[in-house]
Amino acid sequence: MKSRNLIIKIFLIGLILVGISASAFNLIGKNKYKKITILFTNDTHSRIEPFAANDKRLANLGGYARRAAMINQIRSEEKNVLLFDAGDVFQGTPYFNFYNGALEYKLMSLMGYNAVTIGNHEFDDGIEGLNKALPAAKFDVLSANYDFSETILKDKIKPYKIYTIDGLKVGVFGLGVALEGLVTSINYGKIKYNDPAEKAAEIAFLLKKTEKCDLVVCLSHLGFSYKDKQISDVVLAKQSKNIDLIIGGHTHTFMDKPSVYKNSDNEDIIVAQMGWGGTRLGRVDFYFAKNKLVKF
Amino acid sequence: MTNRKIVSLLIIFVLALSSACQTHWVVLHDKTESKVILLDTVNVKQDDAQLLQIIKPYKAQIDSEMNVIIAYSELALTKDEPEGLLNNFIADLCFQKGNEYLQKTNNLTASFCILNSGGLRSDLPKGAITLGNVYELMPFDNELVAIQISGQNVKKLLGYIVKKGGVPESGIVMGIKADSAQHVIIGNAPFDLSKNYIIITSDYLSAGNDEMSFFKGAISTYPLPIRVRDAIIEYIKEQTKKGITLNAKLDKRIYYEK
């Protein structure tokens, strides 16, 4: 009986102290929130200039210089900005036929892109084509499920990268679509395609749990969703853990607003895609707070 | 338990609590804001001057070669399913051009042409058509090819058309009913399962890409000495030379049956 009383006492005193510390945190709390703004594009397809005025669907939209102006404006308003692309930067206008992707990467470097992943059209001039354009990219090119170890791209493409911004760690990794049947086999050569869902689970765990990232972002060129069961952003989102945002591409999906799904831990995960041609810029603002007591 | 023990337990408890609080940040998912920013002239009044300056010389070179008007179109040619104006226009001209080259190189004639919807990358506008428009429609360097396959494989090809809800093709007229091909006419005759067929397509597709696995068991393949894009350019220029403006029709080559 005596020891039980003691436990109750300890518990009560503990609760009071917890209450005091909680209110103390709330007092500091006003300036203890942090914010990260994530901007992104996908399937920009060499649309250096805006679409022509006589384009049936996308007239006068997009263009690299316009995107840059919007990004600069947001950077002037927000402290913590990260900028990503989900692949298929290459192919679609004569700019690619003439300059083979180097101009796209050069301009994206000037816009301050942090990372991109690799779309299937990045191989339209073969592995050699991508290798030639890469020196113009002053950002990270990420792919976790393409194994380049037997190609000239070995060591040039990383599976993931951690960006530290305002004391927050943001882990980012890339996923590519199955190449067989999509890209002519001589163009992808000895790249080994690994299961994207398995790699995503492995890398996301590494980033969130081992590396203790505050946010995990997946750059995916898998496609938004399909009629059949093949892997897509929506399929991945629902079965995933440890990912907060999937920036998608490949299916050229126009959505009114990024969608929110529940992952396998019943936590929110956002899936977004910005159509194609650089006509839209995606934006997600994440807010962070110091760990709350409910975590105990 | 002594008082000292109680105190030390409390200290450990509070320390554990405060250290956890200080080292960890959590995403407030309910506070997350997300949106789509349209990159139009309303949201962006002025394009970035530095990038415009860098793009300028590249643009000048491209404009000088690509802004050449090669034809006029009576209407905007857009992609659609089960058939579309652009689908029909491109498939018809690839069928015609492919057969011209196949005649010259092998003295053979193909029965139909099939392409993939994903391969048509952009629409053609109404009015002036520039060389640049054709590059945007067909940016790839794929070449035309003629390929001979068995009737059994053509049956799979018809199933593929059904599964895709229609693809750009020329030479086949078919209905779709309850997920199967109906009343299939190839050329002027009903589809014959026992016959081999020669088909015009691109080398990308004849390799079995985009799920066209029915090409993998080909009887023979005849590479044609022209890129798909150049076939389009050649055809369009010929029309212009004859004083013909571009046009296309929907003709129910692929239709849904009740």
Side-chain angles (χ1 to χ4, degrees):
Chain A
M1 281 308 274
K2 205 184 171 195
S3 66
R4 196 208 240 171
N5 272 341
L6 259 176
I7 289 168
I8 290 169
K9 261 188 201 163
I10 292 170
F11 183 71
L12 284 177
I13 295 168
L15 265 188
I16 291 163
L17 283 169
V18 164
I20 291 167
S21 17
S23 52
F25 278 121
N26 273 343
L27 284 178
I28 315 163
K30 294 279 185 281
N31 47 19
K32 282 295 176 188
Y33 283 94
K34 289 185 179 182
K35 179 184 180 184
I36 287 184
T37 301
I38 297 196
L39 303 178
F40 51 93
T41 50
N42 59 276
D43 298 274
T44 51
H45 281 298
S46 301
R47 289 280 163 179
I48 304 286
E49 295 175 52
F51 280 79
N54 62 355
D55 192 275
K56 193 88 187 282
R57 301 171 214 242
L58 300 167
N60 300 314
L61 295 176
Y64 273 54
R66 188 176 301 157
R67 196 196 317 163
M70 177 54 80
I71 290 163
N72 287 343
Q73 188 198 314
I74 294 167
R75 285 190 200 279
S76 73
E77 296 160 358
E78 300 293 341
K79 189 168 65 150
N80 305 325
V81 177
L82 287 169
L83 177 58
F84 302 118
D85 184 274
D88 276 6
V89 170
F90 292 1
Q91 191 67 281
T93 70
Y95 281 96
F96 182 73
N97 302 85
F98 278 55
Y99 311 115
N100 311 98
L103 179 62
E104 287 83 332
Y105 276 171
K106 176 183 175 178
L107 297 173
M108 287 171 74
S109 301
L110 287 165
M111 283 187 236
Y113 271 81
N114 297 92
V116 307
T117 193
I118 301 168
N120 47 301
H121 286 293
E122 261 69 75
F123 299 115
D124 279 4
D125 286 343
I127 298 178
E128 292 76 14
L130 177 56
N131 189 49
K132 260 191 199 165
L134 270 185
K138 307 300 175 202
F139 42 79
D140 298 297
V141 182
L142 306 176
S143 179
N145 70 318
Y146 290 158
D147 177 352
F148 293 99
S149 57
E150 286 183 45
T151 74
I152 47 171
L153 294 175
K154 185 179 190 287
D155 301 329
K156 294 184 182 176
I157 290 156
K158 305 176 202 84
Y160 66 88
K161 168 100 178 192
I162 297 168
Y163 301 89
T164 304
I165 181 163
D166 195 14
L168 293 168
K169 286 171 81 177
V170 181
V172 184
F173 68 100
L175 291 179
V177 67
L179 296 168
E180 192 188 344
L182 187 62
V183 175
T184 299
S185 55
I186 46 163
N187 280 12
Y188 65 85
K190 289 195 168 170
I191 297 170
K192 197 174 156 243
Y193 170 79
N194 290 315
D195 184 274
E198 277 173 30
K199 280 288 166 187
E202 179 191 320
I203 302 283
F205 180 87
L206 173 86
L207 292 171
K208 202 73 165 257
K209 304 297 183 193
T210 315
E211 296 286 351
K212 305 220 181 309
C213 288
D214 301 293
L215 192 74
V216 173
V217 178
C218 170
L219 308 179
S220 157
H221 202 75
L222 298 176
F224 181 66
S225 75
Y226 300 99
K227 283 177 201 153
D228 54 18
K229 284 180 187 160
Q230 81 181 92
I231 186 74
S232 66
D233 294 339
V234 173
V235 171
L236 178 68
K238 289 177 180 171
Q239 71 179 52
S240 72
K241 294 177 203 289
N242 304 316
I243 304 171
D244 300 287
L245 168 65
I246 298 177
I247 295 170
H250 191 52
T251 42
H252 296 191
T253 307
F254 286 100
M255 45 212 298
D256 296 333
K257 201 180 179 322
S259 300
V260 183
Y261 295 88
K262 291 290 180 190
N263 71 8
S264 64
D265 282 338
N266 204 36
E267 292 168 338
D268 283 356
I269 173 166
I270 298 172
V271 179
Q273 194 175 144
M274 294 296 118
W276 75 283
T279 53
R280 294 161 168 218
L281 181 70
R283 174 172 180 170
V284 179
D285 294 284
F286 286 103
Y287 292 86
F288 300 81
K290 292 262 174 159
N291 200 0
K292 288 285 171 69
L293 300 170
V294 284
K295 283 278 166 185
F296 278 87
Chain B
M1 219 183 263
T2 64
N3 275 345
R4 192 184 283 176
K5 271 186 184 167
I6 296 169
V7 170
S8 45
L9 265 176
L10 275 173
I11 288 169
I12 290 165
F13 184 67
V14 172
L15 274 181
L17 172 81
S18 54
S19 70
C21 285
Q22 277 170 6
T23 54
H24 204 68
W25 290 89
V26 278
V27 187
L28 305 173
H29 279 293
D30 55 333
K31 294 264 194 295
T32 303
E33 297 161 352
S34 62
K35 63 174 173 179
V36 174
I37 302 166
L38 193 64
L39 294 174
D40 61 8
T41 49
V42 176
N43 288 330
V44 183
K45 297 277 180 282
Q46 191 122 42
D47 289 355
D48 182 77
Q50 187 203 359
L51 256 71
L52 282 179
Q53 197 59 34
I54 294 166
I55 294 167
K56 214 173 166 182
Y58 296 93
K59 177 172 159 50
Q61 190 190 346
I62 288 193
D63 284 351
S64 70
E65 294 185 45
M66 290 291 141
N67 282 358
V68 186
I69 294 170
I70 56 170
Y72 288 87
S73 181
E74 290 185 19
L75 64 177
L77 301 176
T78 53
K79 243 190 338 187
D80 213 339
E81 285 162 356
E83 62 170 335
L85 292 172
L86 187 68
N87 313 29
N88 295 358
F89 178 75
I90 298 297
D92 286 350
L93 79 86
C94 284
F95 188 30
Q96 184 187 318
K97 282 275 131 196
N99 261 337
E100 280 175 26
Y101 281 96
L102 185 60
Q103 275 287 345
K104 270 188 252 174
T105 56
N106 299 81
N107 198 26
L108 290 169
T109 305
S111 301
F112 63 94
C113 167
I114 182 170
L115 298 168
N116 66 332
S117 192
L120 307 182
R121 305 298 289 185
S122 189
D123 300 331
L124 286 180
K126 183 183 175 180
I129 305 288
T130 64
L131 197 55
N133 288 138
V134 180
Y135 267 77
E136 289 176 9
L137 161 66
M138 185 55 66
F140 314 115
D141 293 337
N142 300 332
E143 293 180 355
L144 277 182
V145 67
I147 182 166
Q148 188 176 39
I149 61 173
S150 68
Q152 284 293 346
N153 275 324
V154 172
K155 193 182 167 190
K156 287 182 196 159
L157 179 151
L158 297 169
Y160 173 91
I161 295 177
V162 171
K163 186 187 158 201
K164 295 283 177 183
V167 300
E169 59 90 357
S170 179
I172 302 176
V173 177
M174 63 181 268
I176 299 174
K177 186 181 180 184
D179 291 336
S180 73
Q182 303 283 332
H183 305 107
V184 182
I185 309 285
I186 296 180
N188 292 317
F191 165 56
D192 182 352
L193 192 63
S194 67
K195 213 183 122 185
N196 297 330
Y197 287 86
I198 300 178
I199 302 154
I200 303 290
T201 188
S202 74
D203 57 355
Y204 169 79
L205 297 173
S206 71
N209 287 307
D210 201 9
E211 300 173 58
M212 294 206 182
S213 53
F214 40 81
F215 282 139
K216 284 187 174 165
I219 296 159
S220 40
T221 305
Y222 311 95
L224 302 174
I226 189 165
R227 286 179 176 170
V228 179
R229 181 177 57 241
D230 292 334
I232 299 171
I233 293 167
E234 202 172 273
Y235 174 86
I236 287 178
K237 282 184 172 172
E238 283 166 6
Q239 298 303 103
T240 303
K241 214 171 169 184
K242 291 181 202 158
I244 301 169
T245 51
L246 306 185
N247 207 337
K249 277 201 300 276
L250 299 178
D251 51 17
K252 291 201 167 61
R253 62 186 71 185
I254 305 173
Y255 57 94
Y256 283 95
E257 290 185 7
K258 281 179 191 160

